[in-house]
Amino acid sequence: VLFRSVYSYQKEMKEKGVASELSAAFTLDFWHKARYFGVPAGLYFIINNAAMFALKYIASHLVNMLANIKLLITAALAMMYLKQKISRTQWCALALIAIGMATTVKNPGHKKGDDKGASMLFTLSFGIGTAILSAIAGTFCEKLYKANTA
């Protein structure tokens, strides 16, 4: 199916007299520029595997709540590296996220069947670690997109 789609795309571009963007994928220059996109892909690979591992020890609702930390870190990275401005409304939203996270971490709950649930250290290290990796991957990817379109 994939090869049929590629063939049809190439044929349509040739009929229209437009250079196929797909042919760029066969150049060394394309792969030289695309190698940087492997960085966020690798980071997301680590994050997704860490989340599956953490689900053994942390309740699923807590894993999802910890994912919101990345919003705070992403905002900080966007201000520092992408020189983006944060509006007053966005600051209020970030403050509410921080308050919600503080409330959740205070009493994280535990997984059913666990005697004491996940330790606070494991919970926080998972949340902060994956949030940092996700924020770095997202910010790096945005910087790559903007650099390639500029």
Side-chain angles (χ1 to χ4, degrees):
V1 175
L2 175 66
F3 294 113
R4 178 68 183 155
S5 298
V6 169
Y7 173 76
S8 298
Y9 173 75
Q10 292 281 33
K11 183 179 175 185
E12 183 180 347
M13 292 296 112
K14 188 181 259 186
E15 288 172 0
K16 291 181 178 181
V18 178
S20 170
E21 294 176 13
L22 188 62
S23 62
F26 298 110
T27 64
L28 189 58
D29 185 48
F30 171 81
W31 289 104
H32 182 70
K33 290 178 182 175
R35 76 183 189 282
Y36 294 111
F37 286 94
V39 173
L43 291 174
Y44 285 126
F45 172 78
I46 293 168
I47 293 164
N48 290 335
N49 283 307
M52 292 300 112
F53 176 75
L55 283 171
K56 292 180 184 179
Y57 304 103
I58 303 173
S60 60
H61 72 279
L62 185 59
V63 170
N64 289 324
M65 285 297 295
L66 288 170
N68 287 326
I69 295 173
K70 71 182 167 191
L71 297 172
L72 301 171
I73 297 170
T74 302
L77 289 174
M79 287 184 329
M80 288 188 299
Y81 294 109
L82 301 176
K83 307 298 184 218
Q84 292 180 350
K85 302 289 182 197
I86 304 291
S87 70
R88 197 174 276 189
T89 305
Q90 290 170 325
W91 277 113
C92 290
L94 292 171
L96 289 173
I97 290 170
I99 292 167
M101 290 308 304
T103 305
T104 302
V105 170
K106 182 179 177 188
N107 184 11
H110 61 278
K111 229 177 143 74
K112 211 174 198 179
D114 286 349
D115 49 22
K116 291 186 180 180
S119 71
M120 186 61 74
L121 179 63
F122 178 76
T123 302
L124 289 175
S125 62
F126 164 76
I128 292 170
T130 57
I132 289 171
L133 289 177
S134 181
I136 289 171
T139 305
F140 187 73
C141 205
E142 184 177 346
K143 188 159 183 78
L144 285 174
Y145 288 144
K146 289 182 178 180
N148 286 335
T149 59

